[in-house]
Amino acid sequence: MSLCMPSQWCSNLRETVHGGLVRPACLQFNPRTVTVHQTRRRCWTQVLVVRAAEGAQGVLTQEQKDKERSEQTAKLKAAAEKEMKAVSEAINQQVSTAQGGPQSADSATAPLRARLNRAIEVMQEGLIERDTEVRLLLLAALSQEHVLYIGPPGTAKSELGRRLSRLCAGSFFERLLTRFSVPEELFGPLSMRALEDDRYVRQTEGYLPKANVAFVDEIFKANSAILNTLLTVLNERLFDNGTDREQVPLLCLVGASNELPESEELDALYDRFLIRRQVSQVSDAGLLAMLAAAADNSLAGTGLASHRSSGSEAAAQESIALTFEECQEIRQQALRHVSVPVEVRQLLADLRTHLREKIEPPVYVSDRRLVKAVGLMQVAAYTSGKDSVSLLDCMLLQHILWQQPDQQSRITDFLLSQISEDDGLQSASYILASIFSRACIVLTQKGENLASVLGEATALKESLVDKLISLKASQGVGRGSNMWISKQETDSVAGSLRPKLEKTRKAHEALLDEAITLQVALGSHIDPVIFSTEMPKLWSDMIRNAPMDQVRPLGVQQSNSFRSQANSFASRPNLVSDPAQQLAEVDSQLERLRKGRSA
């Protein structure tokens, strides 16, 4: 056969073959010292060597290779799409089940939830713009914690305490403190009869040590004689009466003040109030509703006083009344059955660090306050029909951790940013890239590590599925995910979170799609070159960043122009299609060339 080819073909072939795609077979080749005719010979020799090295099928089977790869690609796409569809349906099913309310999440709490919703309605009746205050107060009673309302006079602070006492069907104690208040006003007078017997005992019946619900106005005017005893009553629920230590059946103490404490000796008392809420006057938008209600005799006095109860309303309150024992049982069940996930605990730790290091002046959060905050969120989750505390439940922390009212907005912003921001997205991307690189190697080498890499890809897929469930559940805020967050707060949180969560969700879905494609590819033992079209970004990153000894075994896809030229040239009638005969002919031509050069 002729070694000479048309110069244009030889030029194109030389550019393709010797341009770096394959290594020249003729080690003596030097384009500076050989003639054009010799260059053509070397190029044709190279083509024959390459074709022979590819095995019995040769270049003529490239179309078959392309067809096989196309079939593998189609199967990979179909299998990945089928798996992604099944996973998406499972995610949606789990999210809808979780958002189906207590009937689907925990049927045992459904009657309790309905009862509490009715209690909230009764406590709100006749009050304007006090939805948040009512919900926080009832939640505090169920958690056996205390509430502090800070605001100007005439904003229904004492009325909220009275309504809670009527709901709890227990004894109610109310006092207004001054700088001259004495312990007898809170804890009862000394027993004269006991003094005759040399015993220092107080008559506590009808006073704070015997109350289920208490309201103390101007709480921070308590003097040191009152303060020490009050701290023990609030925290330990104990009262030292003479030589006896008595249990105090206090569910909740509602403290009110027109101003924040200024003395350091009041810091301990301030820390005893887990929930803090700044109460403002009714807004201009709600003022008309309040005046209209007052004109209809639905409200009395300033429009924020006690609602006139009818017989039916009294019966309704009796049907939803909560006893001290019931509140205790609810709290115990919540602490026993509601878990606190790692991400919630991490959020609490990050928030305390943020308050201590990023805010001026630093906000001190005691260990006791953090522990009590977790318990309150457990009660909130339990009464909302959930078995674990979610990140959205952490929005209650905006009413717990601030020291100054203006710090509440900063806490809210931090919580929103942490809930919507996902640090795990970048980590998942790095993990996927690492698994992809190893998958390309094991698919090329057919090594024993294939099962290990497949297991890692499956674990990554499951992790992304769990995260998507969490994200989609978070996007459901505003549909009853937490009954203790008011509608106004829910709408505000939803407006801030949904755009960010939607962006994060789409990014996770894209990662999940790639993880599923990689998992299916590993299970099917496909040619890794297919990744160049199905997962181009991961493929290009791997080719660019991986060591050459890992990339070289993967091979390089020949360009379409080279394939068409090679196939066209191979179709010439004077070519030999048998690879063995091709090799023999090449060896013969090389031998003749060497003899000619030596002569």
Side-chain angles (χ1 to χ4, degrees), residues 504-534:
T504 305
R505 180 187 64 80
K506 289 182 178 179
H508 274 84
E509 286 181 344
L511 272 182
L512 178 61
D513 184 55
E514 291 184 330
I516 288 176
T517 301
L518 185 59
Q519 181 191 24
V520 173
L522 287 166
S524 305
H525 303 273
I526 69 164
D527 187 345
V529 177
I530 294 177
F531 289 142
S532 63
T533 56
E534 292 306 300

Short mmCIF file of all heavy atoms in Angstrom, two decimals, residues 504-534:
data_model
loop_
_atom_site.label_atom_id
_atom_site.label_comp_id
_atom_site.label_asym_id
_atom_site.label_seq_id
_atom_site.Cartn_x
_atom_site.Cartn_y
_atom_site.Cartn_z
N THR A 504 -31.92 28.44 48.60
CA THR A 504 -31.16 27.35 49.19
C THR A 504 -31.73 26.00 48.78
O THR A 504 -31.00 25.04 48.53
CB THR A 504 -31.15 27.48 50.72
OG1 THR A 504 -30.65 28.78 51.08
CG2 THR A 504 -30.29 26.42 51.36
N ARG A 505 -33.06 25.92 48.73
CA ARG A 505 -33.70 24.65 48.35
C ARG A 505 -33.32 24.25 46.93
O ARG A 505 -33.00 23.08 46.65
CB ARG A 505 -35.21 24.77 48.47
CG ARG A 505 -35.96 23.50 48.09
CD ARG A 505 -37.46 23.73 48.07
NE ARG A 505 -37.85 24.68 47.05
CZ ARG A 505 -37.99 24.37 45.76
NH1 ARG A 505 -37.76 23.14 45.34
NH2 ARG A 505 -38.36 25.30 44.90
N LYS A 506 -33.33 25.20 45.99
CA LYS A 506 -32.99 24.88 44.60
C LYS A 506 -31.53 24.42 44.49
O LYS A 506 -31.22 23.50 43.72
CB LYS A 506 -33.23 26.11 43.72
CG LYS A 506 -34.70 26.44 43.52
CD LYS A 506 -34.88 27.64 42.61
CE LYS A 506 -36.35 27.94 42.38
NZ LYS A 506 -36.55 29.12 41.51
N ALA A 507 -30.65 25.05 45.25
CA ALA A 507 -29.25 24.63 45.23
C ALA A 507 -29.10 23.20 45.75
O ALA A 507 -28.33 22.40 45.20
CB ALA A 507 -28.40 25.60 46.06
N HIS A 508 -29.84 22.87 46.80
CA HIS A 508 -29.77 21.50 47.33
C HIS A 508 -30.38 20.50 46.37
O HIS A 508 -29.90 19.36 46.27
CB HIS A 508 -30.49 21.44 48.68
CG HIS A 508 -29.63 21.82 49.84
ND1 HIS A 508 -29.45 23.13 50.22
CD2 HIS A 508 -28.88 21.07 50.70
CE1 HIS A 508 -28.63 23.16 51.26
NE2 HIS A 508 -28.28 21.93 51.57
N GLU A 509 -31.44 20.88 45.68
CA GLU A 509 -32.04 19.97 44.71
C GLU A 509 -31.08 19.69 43.55
O GLU A 509 -31.01 18.56 43.06
CB GLU A 509 -33.35 20.55 44.18
CG GLU A 509 -34.50 20.47 45.18
CD GLU A 509 -35.79 21.04 44.62
OE1 GLU A 509 -35.71 21.76 43.59
OE2 GLU A 509 -36.86 20.78 45.20
N ALA A 510 -30.33 20.72 43.13
CA ALA A 510 -29.34 20.50 42.07
C ALA A 510 -28.24 19.55 42.54
O ALA A 510 -27.81 18.65 41.80
CB ALA A 510 -28.73 21.84 41.64
N LEU A 511 -27.79 19.72 43.78
CA LEU A 511 -26.78 18.81 44.33
C LEU A 511 -27.34 17.39 44.45
O LEU A 511 -26.64 16.41 44.16
CB LEU A 511 -26.34 19.30 45.70
CG LEU A 511 -25.18 20.30 45.76
CD1 LEU A 511 -24.86 20.63 47.21
CD2 LEU A 511 -23.95 19.77 45.05
N LEU A 512 -28.58 17.29 44.90
CA LEU A 512 -29.20 15.96 45.04
C LEU A 512 -29.30 15.28 43.69
O LEU A 512 -29.07 14.07 43.57
CB LEU A 512 -30.58 16.10 45.68
CG LEU A 512 -31.38 14.80 45.84
CD1 LEU A 512 -30.64 13.81 46.72
CD2 LEU A 512 -32.76 15.09 46.42
N ASP A 513 -29.65 16.02 42.65
CA ASP A 513 -29.75 15.45 41.31
C ASP A 513 -28.40 14.89 40.85
O ASP A 513 -28.31 13.78 40.29
CB ASP A 513 -30.25 16.52 40.34
CG ASP A 513 -30.48 15.95 38.95
OD1 ASP A 513 -31.22 14.96 38.81
OD2 ASP A 513 -29.90 16.49 37.98
N GLU A 514 -27.32 15.62 41.11
CA GLU A 514 -25.99 15.14 40.73
C GLU A 514 -25.58 13.93 41.58
O GLU A 514 -24.95 13.00 41.07
CB GLU A 514 -24.97 16.27 40.89
CG GLU A 514 -25.14 17.38 39.86
CD GLU A 514 -24.07 18.44 39.98
OE1 GLU A 514 -23.58 18.66 41.11
OE2 GLU A 514 -23.71 19.04 38.96
N ALA A 515 -25.92 13.97 42.87
CA ALA A 515 -25.58 12.84 43.73
C ALA A 515 -26.31 11.57 43.29
O ALA A 515 -25.74 10.47 43.29
CB ALA A 515 -25.92 13.16 45.19
N ILE A 516 -27.58 11.71 42.90
CA ILE A 516 -28.34 10.55 42.43
C ILE A 516 -27.77 10.04 41.11
O ILE A 516 -27.64 8.83 40.89
CB ILE A 516 -29.83 10.93 42.29
CG1 ILE A 516 -30.47 11.09 43.68
CG2 ILE A 516 -30.59 9.88 41.48
CD1 ILE A 516 -31.90 11.55 43.65
N THR A 517 -27.42 10.96 40.20
CA THR A 517 -26.80 10.55 38.93
C THR A 517 -25.51 9.79 39.17
O THR A 517 -25.25 8.75 38.54
CB THR A 517 -26.52 11.79 38.06
OG1 THR A 517 -27.74 12.50 37.82
CG2 THR A 517 -25.92 11.39 36.73
N LEU A 518 -24.70 10.27 40.10
CA LEU A 518 -23.45 9.59 40.41
C LEU A 518 -23.71 8.22 41.04
O LEU A 518 -23.02 7.24 40.73
CB LEU A 518 -22.63 10.46 41.36
CG LEU A 518 -21.23 9.97 41.72
CD1 LEU A 518 -20.38 9.81 40.47
CD2 LEU A 518 -20.57 10.92 42.70
N GLN A 519 -24.70 8.14 41.92
CA GLN A 519 -25.03 6.86 42.54
C GLN A 519 -25.48 5.84 41.50
O GLN A 519 -25.06 4.68 41.52
CB GLN A 519 -26.13 7.07 43.58
CG GLN A 519 -26.55 5.80 44.31
CD GLN A 519 -27.82 5.99 45.13
OE1 GLN A 519 -28.61 6.88 44.84
NE2 GLN A 519 -28.00 5.17 46.13
N VAL A 520 -26.35 6.27 40.58
CA VAL A 520 -26.82 5.36 39.52
C VAL A 520 -25.67 4.94 38.63
O VAL A 520 -25.56 3.77 38.22
CB VAL A 520 -27.94 6.05 38.71
CG1 VAL A 520 -28.33 5.19 37.51
CG2 VAL A 520 -29.15 6.30 39.60
N ALA A 521 -24.76 5.88 38.30
CA ALA A 521 -23.63 5.56 37.44
C ALA A 521 -22.72 4.53 38.09
O ALA A 521 -22.23 3.60 37.44
CB ALA A 521 -22.85 6.83 37.12
N LEU A 522 -22.48 4.66 39.38
CA LEU A 522 -21.64 3.69 40.08
C LEU A 522 -22.30 2.32 40.13
O LEU A 522 -21.63 1.29 40.03
CB LEU A 522 -21.35 4.20 41.50
CG LEU A 522 -20.37 5.37 41.61
CD1 LEU A 522 -20.43 5.98 43.01
CD2 LEU A 522 -18.96 4.90 41.29
N GLY A 523 -23.62 2.32 40.30
CA GLY A 523 -24.31 1.04 40.32
C GLY A 523 -24.38 0.37 38.97
O GLY A 523 -24.51 -0.86 38.87
N SER A 524 -24.26 1.14 37.88
CA SER A 524 -24.36 0.60 36.52
C SER A 524 -23.00 0.35 35.88
O SER A 524 -22.94 -0.16 34.78
CB SER A 524 -25.16 1.56 35.63
OG SER A 524 -26.43 1.83 36.19
N HIS A 525 -21.90 0.77 36.53
CA HIS A 525 -20.54 0.57 36.01
C HIS A 525 -20.38 1.18 34.62
O HIS A 525 -19.86 0.55 33.71
CB HIS A 525 -20.18 -0.92 35.96
CG HIS A 525 -20.31 -1.63 37.27
ND1 HIS A 525 -19.30 -1.68 38.20
CD2 HIS A 525 -21.36 -2.29 37.83
CE1 HIS A 525 -19.70 -2.35 39.27
NE2 HIS A 525 -20.96 -2.73 39.07
N ILE A 526 -20.79 2.42 34.46
CA ILE A 526 -20.73 3.05 33.14
C ILE A 526 -19.32 3.55 32.84
O ILE A 526 -18.46 3.62 33.73
CB ILE A 526 -21.72 4.22 33.05
CG1 ILE A 526 -21.26 5.37 33.96
CG2 ILE A 526 -23.13 3.80 33.38
CD1 ILE A 526 -21.94 6.68 33.66
N ASP A 527 -19.10 3.91 31.58
CA ASP A 527 -17.85 4.53 31.17
C ASP A 527 -17.78 5.93 31.76
O ASP A 527 -18.68 6.74 31.54
CB ASP A 527 -17.81 4.61 29.63
CG ASP A 527 -16.45 5.09 29.12
OD1 ASP A 527 -15.68 5.61 29.95
OD2 ASP A 527 -16.20 4.96 27.92
N PRO A 528 -16.75 6.26 32.52
CA PRO A 528 -16.70 7.58 33.16
C PRO A 528 -16.67 8.75 32.18
O PRO A 528 -16.96 9.89 32.57
CB PRO A 528 -15.41 7.53 33.99
CG PRO A 528 -14.59 6.44 33.40
CD PRO A 528 -15.57 5.45 32.87
N VAL A 529 -16.28 8.48 30.91
CA VAL A 529 -16.26 9.57 29.93
C VAL A 529 -17.65 10.18 29.74
O VAL A 529 -17.79 11.34 29.37
CB VAL A 529 -15.68 9.06 28.59
CG1 VAL A 529 -15.70 10.16 27.52
CG2 VAL A 529 -14.25 8.57 28.80
N ILE A 530 -18.69 9.40 30.04
CA ILE A 530 -20.06 9.90 29.90
C ILE A 530 -20.30 11.07 30.85
O ILE A 530 -21.12 11.95 30.58
CB ILE A 530 -21.06 8.76 30.18
CG1 ILE A 530 -20.95 7.70 29.09
CG2 ILE A 530 -22.49 9.27 30.26
CD1 ILE A 530 -21.84 6.50 29.30
N PHE A 531 -19.55 11.14 31.95
CA PHE A 531 -19.71 12.25 32.88
C PHE A 531 -19.41 13.60 32.23
O PHE A 531 -19.88 14.64 32.71
CB PHE A 531 -18.79 12.07 34.10
CG PHE A 531 -19.21 10.97 35.01
CD1 PHE A 531 -18.28 10.15 35.62
CD2 PHE A 531 -20.56 10.74 35.28
CE1 PHE A 531 -18.66 9.14 36.48
CE2 PHE A 531 -20.95 9.73 36.13
CZ PHE A 531 -20.00 8.92 36.73
N SER A 532 -18.62 13.59 31.16
CA SER A 532 -18.24 14.85 30.53
C SER A 532 -19.45 15.58 29.94
O SER A 532 -19.44 16.81 29.81
CB SER A 532 -17.20 14.61 29.44
OG SER A 532 -17.74 13.80 28.40
N THR A 533 -20.49 14.82 29.60
CA THR A 533 -21.70 15.45 29.07
C THR A 533 -22.81 15.54 30.11
O THR A 533 -23.61 16.47 30.09
CB THR A 533 -22.22 14.66 27.85
OG1 THR A 533 -22.43 13.29 28.23
CG2 THR A 533 -21.21 14.72 26.72
N GLU A 534 -22.86 14.56 31.04
CA GLU A 534 -23.93 14.55 32.03
C GLU A 534 -23.62 15.40 33.26
O GLU A 534 -24.54 15.95 33.87
CB GLU A 534 -24.21 13.09 32.46
CG GLU A 534 -24.80 12.24 31.37
CD GLU A 534 -26.04 12.87 30.77
OE1 GLU A 534 -27.02 13.09 31.53
OE2 GLU A 534 -26.04 13.16 29.57
#
